[in-house]
Amino acid sequence: MKRTLITNIGLLASPRGISAQAGSAQGQIVKIRNAHVLAEDGLITHVGAGLVGQDKMQGAVVIDAEGKLVTPGLVDAHTHLVFGGWRAHEMQMKLAGVPYLKILEEGGGILSTVRETRAASAGALEEKARAALHEMLRLGTTTCETKSGYGLNLEDEIKQLEVTRSLNGSQPVQLVSTLMAAHAVPEEYRHDRRAYMDLVIQEIIPAAAEKGLADFCDVFCETGVFSAGESREILLAARKHGLGLKIHADELTAIGGSELAGEIGAVSAEHLIAITQTGISALAKGGVIACLLPATSFYLDKPYAPARDMITAGVPVAVATDFNPGSCPGLNLQLCVNLACLKYKMTPEEVLTAVTLNAAAAIGLAEDIGSIEPGKQADLVIWDAPNLDFLCYRFGSNLARAIIKKGRAAAEI
């Protein structure tokens, strides 16, 4: 039995529970001073305060937190990790004010990345994504969701998903896979979108499900991409094949994506910059987690999603990076913590829940990760910070000093 003891914790801060926390509960976290955590075979077996008994120290690898803040490992519940190329060439268009959807209409944006991803080998995609995951881990992210959606055909969507599966067993960051073949209509189907939808529904979804390559299915429900009706058809087809449901909704315009999420009981609705009060009510009624992406608002110079209205309405809020080559070429979840406080006006306690337990719930892992409690995986971060306020206050520096995944320090992984 491998035992790890994290001791001399100045302040342990963690949400608790095995499901998403909403409303006032989102800000109710456990804070223990002079704490310690014992893990055995990768699972937390004891959380306590004060002196550590010799029985807990016996045979354990001891990690001294040096009086610093300890939280659960961060969970990034929305990324587009596996892709070919970059899109720095679009910076000048963005600076000139060319709208995102206009860039897409002209064959840029997602479609540019599709061409690069199709041309890249699985090995090249894996090497690039592995480097990104290494950087995420150093920043405190111990679990990450990753979407496909840059293949937009059977062969290359499966290629992306297979890269994710290969990475999941060969590096420390735990991955959850989402099929997003409905990310855009590819160029070869521009004049026959029905044929592409049929491909997604009749071939890509069944193949991904049969091969066990995806846990969820996501759709980009947006003006000029997929309508609410088209999104419903695709998502209900995915449900028939056992996939959980997610939806990119109300990012640029509100066309019914949030209402659809509530209607079909999606696990999460994501982006939500343009959400209406009707959409918020639908999420609350449907028990949908709002996965908000403040770094995308920052990078696109767009408004920020109304997080406070969602929390008031009883919608659980998660916060993620949206790491991708176009609208958010950044993977620093610590920056999203800062932005969530400053732009969403969330409290540090609410934000901690948003990037740990609620994020874990948004990817179906709240029973296993997202809080520091006996029975859960020993995923923790030791921060160069005395408390949560300091973690949210400092920005631009990596405050993660030690990362522990399944009871093992990152240096050992």
Side-chain angles (χ1 to χ4, degrees):
M1 179 182 293
K2 183 174 178 58
R3 310 176 86 216
T4 303
L5 178 67
I6 302 94
T7 188
N8 193 21
I9 299 170
L11 177 67
L12 183 148
S14 173
R16 56 185 170 186
I18 58 172
S19 60
Q21 302 299 300
S24 62
Q26 176 147 0
Q28 296 170 6
I29 67 171
V30 174
K31 294 182 180 180
I32 304 175
R33 297 194 178 278
N34 189 25
H36 56 266
V37 176
L38 178 66
E40 298 178 281
D41 291 336
L43 298 179
I44 298 168
T45 56
H46 176 78
V47 180
L51 297 175
V52 181
Q54 287 298 317
D55 60 320
K56 295 181 176 61
M57 297 187 69
Q58 187 173 7
V61 175
V62 178
I63 298 174
D64 186 353
E66 300 178 349
K68 299 183 185 300
L69 171 71
V70 170
T71 72
L74 303 186
V75 179
D76 195 341
H78 181 129
T79 82
H80 301 259
L81 174 72
V82 180
F83 59 85
W86 292 96
R87 301 217 297 267
H89 61 280
E90 293 179 0
M91 178 61 77
Q92 293 296 335
M93 288 185 279
K94 290 186 174 76
L95 293 174
V98 179
Y100 178 76
L101 290 178
K102 181 66 173 175
I103 295 173
L104 180 61
E105 287 173 9
E106 295 178 354
I110 293 168
L111 298 178
S112 172
T113 301
V114 168
R115 292 189 290 272
E116 295 275 8
T117 304
R118 288 177 175 181
S121 68
L125 293 173
E126 182 169 338
E127 182 180 359
K128 182 177 182 179
R130 187 183 301 277
L133 288 167
H134 179 68
E135 185 178 354
M136 286 182 180
L137 184 66
R138 289 189 288 111
L139 290 164
T141 297
T142 54
T143 303
C144 171
E145 183 258 16
T146 173
K147 305 177 192 293
S148 66
Y150 294 126
L152 305 191
N153 60 31
L154 177 60
E155 177 185 358
D156 292 297
E157 285 293 307
I158 295 299
K159 179 174 70 175
Q160 280 190 271
L161 296 173
E162 287 178 336
V163 166
T164 296
R165 180 164 64 183
S166 177
L167 285 165
N168 204 17
S170 61
Q171 54 77 49
V173 180
Q174 186 173 348
L175 301 180
V176 170
S177 182
T178 296
L179 171 67
M180 199 174 178
H183 199 188
V185 175
E187 292 172 297
E188 63 269 28
Y189 286 93
R190 176 172 290 186
H191 301 296
D192 194 353
R193 44 189 304 113
R194 182 66 244 180
Y196 183 64
M197 285 185 59
D198 289 343
L199 177 68
V200 172
I201 292 168
Q202 297 172 15
E203 296 188 40
I204 300 178
I205 289 173
E210 182 181 350
K211 294 173 181 289
L213 290 171
D215 304 290
F216 295 94
C217 179
D218 199 343
V219 177
F220 192 4
C221 181
E222 183 57 74
T223 300
V225 192
F226 294 97
S227 70
E230 291 169 335
S231 299
R232 177 188 290 104
E233 186 178 353
I234 293 166
L235 290 172
L236 293 182
R239 172 176 283 165
K240 289 180 180 178
H241 287 276
L243 301 182
L245 308 184
K246 293 176 170 288
I247 184 169
H248 278 51
D250 303 346
E251 179 179 2
L252 305 173
T253 52
I255 63 167
S258 295
E259 290 83 353
L260 173 61
E263 172 198 330
I264 64 176
V267 175
S268 63
E270 327 214 338
H271 284 287
L272 306 175
I273 292 172
I275 193 171
T276 64
Q277 190 58 53
T278 301
I280 293 174
S281 298
L283 297 186
K285 184 177 180 180
V288 182
I289 298 167
C291 189
L292 307 185
L293 310 168
T296 305
S297 292
F298 168 78
Y299 188 74
L300 294 179
D301 195 22
K302 296 292 184 181
Y304 288 80
R308 285 253 58 93
D309 292 345
M310 296 180 199
I311 292 172
T312 299
V315 177
V317 170
V319 169
T321 64
D322 191 25
F323 173 54
N324 72 77
S327 59
C328 189
L331 45 69
N332 189 338
L333 197 49
Q334 291 183 46
L335 174 61
C336 295
V337 165
N338 302 132
L339 290 172
C341 283
L342 295 171
K343 298 299 185 180
Y344 292 154
K345 307 303 179 186
M346 294 171 66
T347 67
E349 291 79 8
E350 290 170 338
V351 174
L352 179 64
T353 300
V355 295
T356 56
L357 184 59
N358 282 6
I363 55 175
L365 292 178
E367 293 188 1
D368 302 314
I369 62 171
S371 62
I372 302 174
E373 300 179 84
K376 290 202 174 184
Q377 269 181 205
D379 295 359
L380 303 95
V381 180
I382 301 172
W383 300 98
D384 190 10
N387 51 47
L388 274 180
D389 288 350
F390 194 86
L391 185 63
C392 296
Y393 153 77
R394 282 290 308 277
F395 77 99
S397 299
N398 181 9
L399 297 183
R401 285 295 166 263
I403 294 91
I404 298 157
K405 179 66 179 179
K406 295 183 180 178
R408 298 178 62 192
E412 302 173 19
I413 298 171

